[in-house]
Amino acid sequence: MKDSQKKTFTLKTLTKSSAWDIQENDVFRMWNSAEKDADLKDNFHHYIDVIRTAFEIEEVKIDKPEVIKKMEARGFKVGKIKLDENTQIKMGVKKRPISRVTDLTYENIRHISAAKLVEVLDRNFGGGWDSLSQSIKDIILSGFDISTTTLPAERLRKAGGMYDKMVNEGFEVLEIPKGSWVEAIFAKVKPIVERPKMKFDIDDNDDDPDRDYDEPDHDDDYDDEEDEYDEDKLTEESYRTTIDTDPADLDLEAADVADDDDY
């Protein structure tokens, strides 16, 4: 990513995905830019959680040169950040490496190249595509088109075959020897497809109260006289719910929703 694009990020606009687009120096730059924000201290934990998605963060509790030197030797960039006029802390920040398949996440999968993915796969397994867990496969497939084939070694690179076709289409290839056979894994970055916004879609960020969303008018769909009811006809059956709800089930559903919101 170009430096000019990096500078558009702020603590308030940074997300768990875009955090992979910045480097250690950017973390301190954004924090320094936000020092005058009145809500900086209140949102401290939120900002740290977002940054921690892509970075290791350690607070410097013993501010001595030898301690700082050891942290820098481990790859940390050390700097100071302010929470308010009276509170300042020193911390070390280090970009998380993506070197194993277990390092791959939905947040970072679209921030690596196909060549990097092949490198990660080559370093981490020898059993082929099927040796990966389904959860890892799902993460990879969310960002890459993947094709595999297993053929005798002498046939894999046959002129005009699948290997040539996939390479010509821009796929990176990982070859995994399996005796006299070879498994080839082809990977190519999946294009981002934006869903076209329909006429009736409402933008969550659209705060214009005067916008006309062409909501249908249902006033003519019923007769007021038919809507009237006779109170004498209301019985116990009228109030009975059609769903038997166990309070314990409600608690479970609420917990499930809370878990989903984490992501």
Side-chain angles (χ1 to χ4, degrees), residues 10-14 16 30-31 34-52 57 81-84 89 91:
T10 67
L11 286 181
K12 291 184 177 181
T13 62
L14 196 68
K16 291 184 176 182
M30 290 188 300
W31 209 285
E35 285 182 359
K36 295 182 180 179
D37 293 348
D39 60 350
L40 179 61
K41 188 173 183 179
D42 293 336
N43 292 317
F44 172 78
H45 291 294
H46 168 69
Y47 296 147
I48 289 295
D49 285 344
V50 172
I51 295 170
R52 201 184 294 276
I57 300 177
I81 63 171
K82 281 187 178 181
L83 301 186
D84 55 34
I89 64 174
M91 67 180 189

Side-chain angles (χ1 to χ4, degrees), residues 215-228:
E215 295 181 357
D217 185 357
H218 297 292
D219 291 343
D220 296 331
D221 292 347
Y222 64 90
D223 188 337
D224 288 342
E225 293 182 1
E226 292 180 2
D227 242 24
E228 295 179 357

Side-chain angles (χ1 to χ4, degrees), residues 147-162:
S147 294
T148 66
T149 187
T150 302
L151 294 170
E154 67 274 8
R155 289 181 52 194
L156 179 62
R157 293 174 177 257
K158 184 178 179 181
M162 182 179 180

Side-chain angles (χ1 to χ4, degrees), residues 92-140:
V93 179
K94 177 184 177 182
K95 192 73 172 283
R96 293 186 183 277
I98 302 176
S99 56
R100 299 169 297 178
V101 292
T102 51
D103 295 329
L104 299 173
T105 67
Y106 284 106
E107 288 83 12
N108 67 28
I109 193 63
R110 283 196 170 274
H111 297 273
I112 63 173
S113 65
K116 176 65 176 179
L117 175 65
V118 166
E119 176 189 320
V120 171
L121 294 177
D122 188 31
R123 184 183 299 121
N124 280 274
F125 68 85
W129 176 255
D130 288 337
S131 71
L132 293 172
S133 68
Q134 187 59 50
S135 60
I136 295 297
K137 287 181 182 178
D138 290 343
I139 290 173
I140 293 173

Side-chain angles (χ1 to χ4, degrees), residues 73-245:
R74 292 166 52 205
F76 282 86
K77 174 74 175 179
V78 180
K80 296 179 180 179
I81 63 171
K82 281 187 178 181
L83 301 186
D84 55 34
E85 291 298 325
N86 303 314
T87 310
Q88 179 175 271
I89 64 174
K90 182 175 285 189
M91 67 180 189
V93 179
K94 177 184 177 182
K95 192 73 172 283
R96 293 186 183 277
I98 302 176
S99 56
R100 299 169 297 178
V101 292
T102 51
D103 295 329
L104 299 173
T105 67
Y106 284 106
E107 288 83 12
N108 67 28
I109 193 63
R110 283 196 170 274
H111 297 273
I112 63 173
S113 65
K116 176 65 176 179
L117 175 65
V118 166
E119 176 189 320
V120 171
L121 294 177
D122 188 31
R123 184 183 299 121
N124 280 274
F125 68 85
W129 176 255
D130 288 337
S131 71
L132 293 172
S133 68
Q134 187 59 50
S135 60
I136 295 297
K137 287 181 182 178
D138 290 343
I139 290 173
I140 293 173
L141 291 172
S142 71
F144 292 86
D145 288 322
I146 300 291
S147 294
T148 66
T149 187
T150 302
L151 294 170
E154 67 274 8
R155 289 181 52 194
L156 179 62
R157 293 174 177 257
K158 184 178 179 181
M162 182 179 180
Y163 190 100
D164 284 352
K165 177 177 179 294
M166 300 300 279
V167 170
N168 289 336
E169 290 181 3
F171 282 80
E172 293 286 339
V173 189
L174 172 62
E175 298 179 37
I176 304 173
K178 294 185 174 182
S180 61
W181 291 61
V182 176
E183 177 179 355
I185 301 176
F186 303 92
K188 182 179 180 181
V189 174
K190 184 178 292 184
I192 298 176
V193 179
E194 295 185 4
R195 182 177 66 89
K197 184 170 290 188
M198 305 301 290
K199 180 179 180 181
F200 49 82
D201 283 350
I202 298 178
D203 189 342
D204 290 338
N205 296 320
D206 189 350
D207 297 323
D208 184 358
D210 298 324
R211 180 172 178 177
D212 182 8
Y213 293 109
D214 295 329
E215 295 181 357
D217 185 357
H218 297 292
D219 291 343
D220 296 331
D221 292 347
Y222 64 90
D223 188 337
D224 288 342
E225 293 182 1
E226 292 180 2
D227 242 24
E228 295 179 357
Y229 60 86
D230 186 349
E231 293 183 0
D232 293 334
K233 294 181 181 179
L234 294 176
T235 65
E236 181 180 352
E237 286 295 324
S238 303
Y239 293 99
R240 183 173 298 167
T241 180
T242 58
I243 301 176
D244 293 325
T245 305

